[in-house]
Structures are given as structure tokens and as C-alpha cells.
Amino acid sequence: MRPFTRSSDQAADDDPAALSVRTVFARACEPECASLPDALRSEIVAELSRADGGPRDAAAVSEWAAAQRERFAALFATADSEGCADVLVRRAALACAPLASVSGAWLQWMSEPGNAEEAVTMRVLALYAGDVGAGHPRASRGSAYLSLLQHLRVAVHAHPASQLAQDRRIADRSFSLPAFALTMSRHPNAYRGEIIGLDLCLREAGLLPPLDGVQARHPHGIGWDALDPSLARTPDGPSAVDDARALAAAFAESAGASGAAAVERGFAWAFAALREWCDEVYDELDAARDPGFEMAELVQSRAREASAYHDRFNVQGRLLKDWLVEARTDPIPFLGALANSRLVRPGRSEASRLTGALVSEKGRMFRVFPDQDLDTIRRWIDALPTDPAQRAEWRPPAHQPRRITLRPAPDSGDGDAPGDIRQAYTALLQRKTTPAVRQYAQRYVEKRLARCRSDMEPSPGRCRPSSRRTDCGRGCSTSTTCTTTSSTTAWTIPFPTAPT
């Protein structure tokens, strides 16, 4: 089985109407971008339905998170013994980036003019204020995670968070949970309970399990408490998870049985999505322990552009361009040929032309590979067996993350227009309005402005302002153009002289 990488330009779904989950994430991150909750309603409903009957107990989430941290700790310990812990640190930090960078952001749309003073809304705003570090610039949980990515030197696409969608080192599954959460948050009237439930689940889980190994190796210089959504942001304040529990209880009490069911549905969905994502990240990190896995990813990601420049160089009796064209879908044959070529000395990267003369200051491939890619190539060469028979049997681990696409529903129209201004007022107090409501409001404003404009037009018997200073003899008290004496002749009156 060939190793799959998200850098592959082979689409898993040829449906032109389908949206990549990366695109949905990027659009949901942009405050001024048109939201997609209506078009993706069927996808959201289907996603929430997948978790029906799943665990909805807060204690189960906490126990699961603790077990996962132990699981990742053991994996990182193994990587330490193999000398590749830095690889796992880098990949774990990137895998957690989409979710950790927008931590709590799904709460920001819950407040609207129609409910701004309700007790539930005030609790939401208090919880969200802690997430963004209210009162302190660049103190949000997302800003703390950006600092971690910068510390690890993997923040090329980290700011703003929407740019993470361009980072092909991150699998689609890492975007799924935050993309759905942010999209639902753009329609809080329809998904208020689900948003409160998923937020509670993520806070019960605490620090994302893959980050446990990162924290153990980089304990200083990073505000790790800020990266744990269950903890308080102030020393004397209640924990965020306690506030989230109180919020869920208050909403269930005010919304009744249907509200409680919505909270449980959102909680169960987030737990299921978190488990799926965590399992995929573990499989990816386990596979990345093999140097050949990352080398195969690198070749596949660069094969398309490289094939345009290598039509004269032969590797094992075949044009390098042909090898690279094939490597776009299956890089294993090319890696086997490259390992047996004169460019590589198995087990000795320092003596290999591929990582020596070719990429030196006078080499033909100077600055083609960034330092991180060169490290990947050197690690692969050093791990190659010197025995040709053993190299022929080598295969990297087969890890195949699923490409996730969403299909928006056809446009359902503009919706129903308000019957009168009272209905329009109620609709406009909500964050989500239909095109018909917006059109009604625009026509109403234009009509009112036209009426005001008509009232400002001069009419017989009235004076309009003028800069000329002549007297019409009718005793006007300001400098105006008088239209009372004639329909065709205008006279001006001077401003009264101020006493000296």
C-alpha cells in the first residue's frame, strides 16, 4: 500500500461542488467572510447524528484524556530512545494547531442585541473573556499557541489562524472539529445548545493529549496553563471548566428539555470527534518514527514542481522527470532507485552528494530545500541499510489519513420577508438574518431617507441658506435665499452684525 500524504495533488473527490474541510475552516475563521451554516446544514445535522448514543459523561471524557496522555507519553519515550523525538514534537504541535489556535472562538457569536442582557449570555461572555485574555493584548489562548509554534519554528502559516489551511503538513482531520464548531457558531440561534455542549467537552478534556509529549520536552518559555482550556486565566478566578459546567446547567434550566438534549448532543459529538482525531494523530506520529515515511511525504509533496526541471538527468537508467511524475501518486519506486543511485551513500548522509555538493553554495540545488527538508533527507539516508537486499525490502509505514470534503446544499432562496417593521425589528436583533430581511431593511431605510430628503427641499414661503448678502426687505434673521417674493427671483438677506 502506498503511503498517502495530504500534500498529494490527487483529489479524493472529483465533485466540483464539494468544499474541502480546510476551506470551510478558513472561511469560518474570517470575521468578515460570509458564513456557511445554512448551506452546510445537512452536513452539520449528519455530523451531529453520528454521535447519537455516544458517551455524554464528563467523567468519561476526563478518564479518556488521562489515558491518552499516558499513551502519547509512551510513544514519545520510544521516540526518545530512537533519537526522533523532535520529529514527533513538530508534528504533534502542527496537528493540534487548528483546534488550539481558535480555542473558545466558537463562543464569540453567542451574544446579539436580542439576548445581550440574558443570564446565559452573560455567562458565555465571561467564559469567552477568559479565553481571549480580556484586558491584556495578545493574551488569548490562541496567541499562547502561536508562541509555541514560533518557539518550535513551525509557524510559517500560523498567523492568522485561517492561514493554517494552507499548511500541507497538517492532515484534514485536524481541521474537522474546529471547522464544524466555528461554522455552527455563525448560526447561534440554531445551535446554541450544541455549541455550549461541545465547549464543555473540550474543557473537560483539558490540554490536548498529543501536546503532553511536547510539554515534557519544552516545559519552559511557554504559557502552558493558557493552552489548557479547563484552567482559569487568573490566579483567584474559578476554573474555566467549572464556569462551562455552570453555563451548561443554566442553559438547560432556561431552555428546558430540548435545551438539555442539545447540550448533550453537542457534548457527545465533540467527544466522538476528539477520539477520532486523537487516534489519527497517534497513528501519524507512530508512522513518522520511520525516516522513510517523512521522506516519502517530502518527495510526493515536491514531485509536481520538480518534474518540470529534471528532464535531462538520469537515475538508474530512467529520466528523473519520469520518476517524479510517477512519484506524485507513488513515491516508493523512486525512493528505491534514489537509494541505489550515486547521489546517496546509505548510512552516510555527510558523504552523500544529495545532501553535500548538490546543495552547497556552488551546487545546482543550492537553497532548493529548506533546512527542515534537508534534515528529513539526512535522517532517511542515515537510516538506509548498507545491504542492497535489505534496501530492496524496505517499505515505509502505510498511514492513510482521509481527505474530508463537505457538500453544500443548493441555495434555498432569500427566505420570507417580514410582514411589517415590527417583525423586521425582531429579526434584525439576531445575528443570522435572511437575504429577504436584509432587502426589506434596505428598502425601508432608502424610503425613510428619501422622505427626509424631500422634507429638506426648499418650498415657497421658506428661505434656504446662501452665501450672498443682500436684503430682501422681509426681515429674515439669517443669511438666506428668500423665495417668498417671486417664483423666479431669489433675494438674499445678510447675517445680522454681531454687536462689538
Side-chain angles (χ1 to χ4, degrees), residues 372-394:
Q372 183 176 308
D373 288 351
L374 285 174
D375 290 341
T376 298
I377 298 172
R378 293 188 182 102
R379 182 169 167 250
W380 170 69
I381 294 176
D382 288 336
L384 287 173
T386 56
D387 184 0
Q390 293 181 357
R391 290 200 300 272
E393 297 175 356
W394 168 84

Side-chain angles (χ1 to χ4, degrees), residues 97-227:
L99 182 56
S101 296
V102 298
S103 181
W106 38 81
L107 298 177
Q108 64 180 315
W109 306 103
M110 300 279 277
S111 171
E112 57 191 20
N115 68 6
E117 297 183 357
E118 294 179 2
V120 170
T121 303
M122 299 303 291
R123 288 182 179 274
V124 169
L125 292 177
L127 191 58
Y128 180 58
D131 290 332
V132 299
H136 303 279
R138 299 193 180 108
S140 68
R141 298 189 191 275
S143 296
Y145 200 79
L146 175 61
S147 298
L148 173 63
L149 296 179
Q150 291 171 338
H151 177 73
L152 297 176
R153 299 182 181 274
V154 292
V156 177
H157 301 286
H159 184 74
S162 59
Q163 296 300 312
L164 286 169
Q166 299 182 17
D167 198 329
R168 292 297 170 179
R169 296 171 296 179
I170 306 175
D172 280 11
R173 176 61 65 184
S174 293
F175 293 97
S176 181
L177 196 160
F180 275 104
L182 293 174
T183 301
M184 285 191 287
S185 73
R186 293 301 188 93
H187 204 336
N189 292 330
Y191 305 109
R192 188 177 302 274
E194 287 81 358
I195 296 169
I196 292 174
L198 71 88
D199 181 77
L200 175 59
C201 177
L202 294 174
R203 295 184 195 276
E204 293 285 359
L207 183 70
L208 296 175
L211 292 178
D212 184 78
V214 181
Q215 182 181 15
R217 285 148 190 83
H218 297 270
H220 305 297
I222 303 297
W224 284 101
D225 287 350
L227 301 183

Side-chain angles (χ1 to χ4, degrees), residues 131-442:
D131 290 332
V132 299
H136 303 279
R138 299 193 180 108
S140 68
R141 298 189 191 275
S143 296
Y145 200 79
L146 175 61
S147 298
L148 173 63
L149 296 179
Q150 291 171 338
H151 177 73
L152 297 176
R153 299 182 181 274
V154 292
V156 177
H157 301 286
H159 184 74
S162 59
Q163 296 300 312
L164 286 169
Q166 299 182 17
D167 198 329
R168 292 297 170 179
R169 296 171 296 179
I170 306 175
D172 280 11
R173 176 61 65 184
S174 293
F175 293 97
S176 181
L177 196 160
F180 275 104
L182 293 174
T183 301
M184 285 191 287
S185 73
R186 293 301 188 93
H187 204 336
N189 292 330
Y191 305 109
R192 188 177 302 274
E194 287 81 358
I195 296 169
I196 292 174
L198 71 88
D199 181 77
L200 175 59
C201 177
L202 294 174
R203 295 184 195 276
E204 293 285 359
L207 183 70
L208 296 175
L211 292 178
D212 184 78
V214 181
Q215 182 181 15
R217 285 148 190 83
H218 297 270
H220 305 297
I222 303 297
W224 284 101
D225 287 350
L227 301 183
D228 188 338
S230 68
L231 300 180
R233 300 303 307 279
T234 56
D236 55 346
S239 67
V241 69
D242 288 338
D243 286 343
R245 291 167 185 162
L247 169 61
F251 177 78
E253 181 180 356
S254 64
S258 60
V263 171
E264 291 180 357
R265 184 162 54 251
F267 187 99
W269 170 77
F271 191 20
L274 203 57
R275 294 198 306 270
E276 290 181 4
W277 167 76
C278 213
D279 288 342
E280 183 165 307
V281 173
Y282 183 90
D283 292 341
E284 175 189 334
L285 298 186
D286 190 31
R289 290 166 45 218
D290 187 323
F293 177 78
E294 282 207 322
M295 185 62 181
E297 279 191 328
L298 174 61
V299 168
Q300 196 168 9
S301 66
R302 303 293 295 272
R304 184 176 185 176
E305 59 189 72
S307 62
Y309 299 98
H310 296 85
D311 55 353
R312 296 182 180 180
F313 190 82
N314 286 315
V315 175
Q316 298 289 295
R318 185 183 180 188
L319 281 177
L320 179 55
K321 176 180 179 179
D322 295 336
W323 283 113
L324 292 171
V325 170
E326 181 184 0
R328 290 170 59 182
T329 55
D330 185 5
I332 302 305
F334 170 64
L335 287 179
L338 183 63
N340 293 314
S341 72
R342 64 179 186 273
L343 298 176
V344 171
R345 295 284 185 88
R348 299 174 59 197
S349 61
E350 73 282 355
S352 299
R353 290 183 60 199
L354 182 60
T355 52
L358 280 178
V359 295
S360 65
E361 293 182 359
K362 296 182 179 180
R364 295 183 178 182
M365 299 180 68
F366 179 59
R367 295 297 187 189
V368 170
F369 296 111
D371 292 342
Q372 183 176 308
D373 288 351
L374 285 174
D375 290 341
T376 298
I377 298 172
R378 293 188 182 102
R379 182 169 167 250
W380 170 69
I381 294 176
D382 288 336
L384 287 173
T386 56
D387 184 0
Q390 293 181 357
R391 290 200 300 272
E393 297 175 356
W394 168 84
R395 290 291 183 276
H399 170 61
Q400 189 168 351
R402 184 169 66 93
R403 184 174 184 268
I404 302 175
T405 57
L406 308 175
R407 292 176 178 80
D411 189 1
S412 58
D414 293 342
D416 297 329
D420 53 34
I421 190 60
R422 292 179 179 273
Q423 294 182 10
Y425 174 77
T426 302
L428 290 169
L429 287 178
Q430 303 174 4
R431 284 198 178 273
K432 181 61 181 177
T433 58
T434 64
V437 172
R438 292 193 291 272
Q439 292 168 9
Y440 179 93
Q442 183 176 357

